[in-house]
């Protein structure tokens, strides 16, 4: 009947308005987060940084029967001066992202040094990111659905924040394939030895 159609149309319009209001809230939140980017430099121990990130994800990893591994090269100093909070937030986002898109296998954090640069790889054994979409993932609200053919959490902001934090701290972030499957996010961060 016409009354039922009108009610259904009104429900759709109300739902659409609620969705638009929610998107506005998410956009406002993303702007505020962009303004609170950590840039201060402190003395930190790279092993403690990586352990703190790994410990945070242990419950999720055990629940999903995945492995979170981490290794540090022998040439990584015990203490460095650099943007600890920025690195921490970047690693949280990258590990979280890796876990979202890895249904079996592992996420691996590898830390090395190249001169005055701390080099961190976050590798996963997920489906990977198509080469044509690699730069897109750093844009606000970018989600690579339906390529992954599964519903994922989040709003497509995590990798945008990674890129924003990296840019504010003179850090570089790149993406490449992990053989035989998955993605490697490579971070280079300027540091000083203690």
């Amino acid at each position: 009947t016409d009354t039922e159609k009108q009610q259904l149309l009104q429900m759709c319009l109300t739902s659409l308005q609620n969705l638009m209001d929610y998107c506005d809230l998410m956009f406002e939140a993303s702007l505020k987060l962009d303004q609170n980017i950590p840039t201060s430099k402190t003395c930190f121990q790279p092993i403690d940084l990586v352990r703190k990130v790994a410990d945070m994800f242990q419950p999720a990893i055990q629940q999903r029967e995945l492995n979170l591994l981490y290794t540090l090269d022998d040439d990584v100093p015990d203490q460095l001066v650099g943007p600890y909070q920025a690195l921490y937030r970047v690693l949280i986002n990258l590990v979280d992202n890796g876990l979202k898109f890895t249904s079996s296998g592992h996420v691996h954090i590898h830390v090395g040094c190249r001169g005055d640069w701390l080099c961190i790889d976050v590798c996963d054994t997920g489906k990977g990111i198509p080469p044509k979409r690699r730069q897109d993932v750093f844009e606000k609200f970018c989600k690579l659905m339906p390529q992954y053919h599964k519903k994922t959490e989040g709003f497509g902001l995590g990798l945008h924040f990674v890129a924003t934090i990296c840019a504010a701290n003179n850090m570089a972030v790149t993406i490449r394939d992990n053989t035989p499957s998955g993605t490697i996010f490579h971070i280079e961060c300027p540091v000083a030895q203690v």
Side-chain angles (χ1 to χ4, degrees):
T1 68
D2 286 340
T3 304
E4 290 173 337
K5 288 179 184 178
Q6 287 290 347
Q7 288 173 339
L8 182 59
L9 179 60
Q10 187 58 45
M11 282 180 23
C12 289
L13 290 173
T14 301
S15 295
L16 178 60
Q17 184 60 51
N18 289 340
L19 180 60
M20 289 173 59
D21 290 344
Y22 188 70
C23 287
D24 287 342
L25 285 173
M26 289 304 304
F27 184 70
E28 287 176 29
S30 75
L31 290 175
K32 288 179 183 176
L33 286 171
D34 280 352
Q35 295 169 0
N36 294 318
I37 298 168
T39 57
S40 63
K41 296 181 178 25
T42 58
C43 184
F44 69 97
Q45 295 179 323
I47 186 68
D48 289 343
L49 168 69
V50 176
R51 279 185 187 145
K52 185 176 179 181
V53 171
D55 289 347
M56 181 179 156
F57 287 100
Q58 283 308 313
I61 290 165
Q62 290 171 353
Q63 186 178 31
R64 295 197 44 221
E65 297 181 9
L66 296 172
N67 290 310
L68 177 56
L69 314 168
Y70 58 88
T71 55
L72 278 78
D73 288 347
D74 293 337
D75 64 346
V76 176
D78 290 338
Q79 291 191 337
L80 293 169
V81 175
Y84 173 82
Q85 285 298 322
L87 285 167
Y88 179 68
R89 286 177 62 178
V90 164
L91 286 176
I92 286 173
N93 276 298
L94 292 179
V95 170
D96 182 57
N97 201 65
L99 291 172
K100 282 180 191 175
F101 295 103
T102 302
S103 56
S104 65
H106 65 270
V107 173
H108 179 208
I109 304 169
H110 175 258
V111 181
C113 272
R114 189 172 44 83
D116 291 335
W117 293 86
L118 185 66
C119 301
I120 304 174
D121 288 333
V122 178
C123 316
D124 67 59
T125 55
K127 294 190 178 202
I129 298 172
K132 291 180 181 178
R133 298 295 311 272
R134 289 189 182 153
Q135 285 309 115
D136 297 345
V137 299
F138 295 115
E139 299 297 323
K140 281 184 184 177
F141 307 111
C142 177
K143 294 183 78 166
L144 295 185
M145 299 293 286
Q147 284 91 339
Y148 287 99
H149 302 291
K150 73 174 193 170
K151 185 177 170 81
T152 58
E153 302 168 356
F155 297 98
L157 291 171
L159 294 178
H160 168 72
F161 292 134
V162 166
T164 303
I165 291 168
C166 286
N169 286 279
N170 195 30
M171 296 163 49
V173 57
T174 57
I175 305 171
R176 66 182 190 271
D177 287 334
N178 189 13
T179 306
S181 68
T183 302
I184 299 172
F185 283 87
H186 179 75
I187 302 294
E188 293 187 4
C189 177
V191 291
Q193 293 190 30
V194 177

